[in-house]
Amino acid sequence: MNRSVLSPVLLLMVIYLAPLAAEDQTIKNETSLNVSAVYYFGMIDGYNASGGFAPPSYDIITGLPVPTATPSDPGRNLGSGWGGAGLKVGLTHKIIIPFLTGDGMLFKDNNLEVKFTGELTPVTMFGLTEITLTPLALLKLSLGGGGGTGWSLVFNGLGLNIPGEAAVREEPFSGLVYKLWASATLQFDLG
């Protein structure tokens, strides 16, 4: 088996088999479905900002120069004329495994949580995985990553902003948008 495939397989085996060593601990599974719809007012924040309050604006500012302006590049438009809308459906599944638990207040609810999420919009899809370890009640360590792509369906879900072209070029499924992260959180309760 290839080493790049073997490492994740071994990690998943450890995640699933480690809690079986403890007799009275149970693995929890949680699944949730989230549907979000939103409307964004037309905003042109930062354009000719005067430092005061800027009310919603539906004006389209045309032909703004781009940083790599050339004589053949007419620039880009700022604003849409109607604001913006969004629709997203997300499905999340969590596996919560008791890990390093004990009777003391620092070890009471310690666990290892593995979360899988898939998100779908009319023009994009994105999936991510996150692993969170709580080795002590006051510490959470997280590691995760995800990736997605897009297509065109009335709107452009994934495209290329090429200097010299007046509009964003539609490039469905031509690339992968991804993110990776690691974090540590210290938490405590004064109660």
Side-chain angles (χ1 to χ4, degrees):
M1 194 177 246
N2 189 336
R3 283 180 59 183
S4 63
V5 174
L6 188 59
S7 298
V9 169
L10 289 175
L11 177 63
L12 286 174
M13 286 176 57
V14 168
I15 289 170
Y16 280 105
L17 297 177
L20 298 179
E23 297 173 14
D24 63 341
Q25 299 178 358
T26 59
I27 298 174
K28 297 178 192 173
N29 288 287
E30 298 176 2
T31 302
S32 62
L33 176 67
N34 182 10
V35 179
S36 306
V38 65
Y39 173 75
Y40 301 101
F41 290 104
M43 289 294 224
I44 307 176
D45 291 339
Y47 181 75
N48 288 338
S50 62
F53 173 74
S57 171
Y58 295 94
D59 297 335
I60 296 176
I61 311 300
T62 57
L64 290 175
V66 293
T68 57
T70 63
S72 64
D73 190 350
R76 304 292 186 267
N77 294 340
L78 179 63
S80 66
W82 58 274
L87 175 67
K88 179 170 65 173
V89 176
L91 182 66
T92 299
H93 182 73
K94 286 192 231 180
I95 303 167
I96 303 167
I97 305 166
F99 191 72
L100 299 173
T101 60
D103 294 332
M105 67 179 175
L106 288 178
F107 302 100
K108 182 178 178 239
D109 294 321
N110 293 354
N111 61 50
L112 178 67
E113 179 181 297
V114 182
K115 181 166 61 170
F116 304 99
T117 300
E119 296 177 345
L120 182 66
T121 75
V123 291
T124 63
M125 63 182 162
F126 192 80
L128 62 89
T129 300
E130 180 177 17
I131 298 173
T132 303
L133 175 65
T134 308
L136 295 171
L138 53 90
L139 177 64
K140 281 187 183 255
L141 304 170
S142 294
L143 180 67
T149 190
W151 55 90
S152 298
L153 179 69
V154 180
F155 301 104
N156 196 358
L158 184 68
L160 297 174
N161 192 0
I162 298 176
E165 293 186 17
V168 174
R169 183 188 299 172
E170 294 180 4
E171 293 285 341
F173 301 107
S174 66
L176 176 70
V177 177
Y178 66 92
K179 64 179 178 179
L180 303 170
W181 70 91
S183 67
T185 304
L186 289 173
Q187 56 189 9
F188 58 91
D189 185 354
L190 298 176

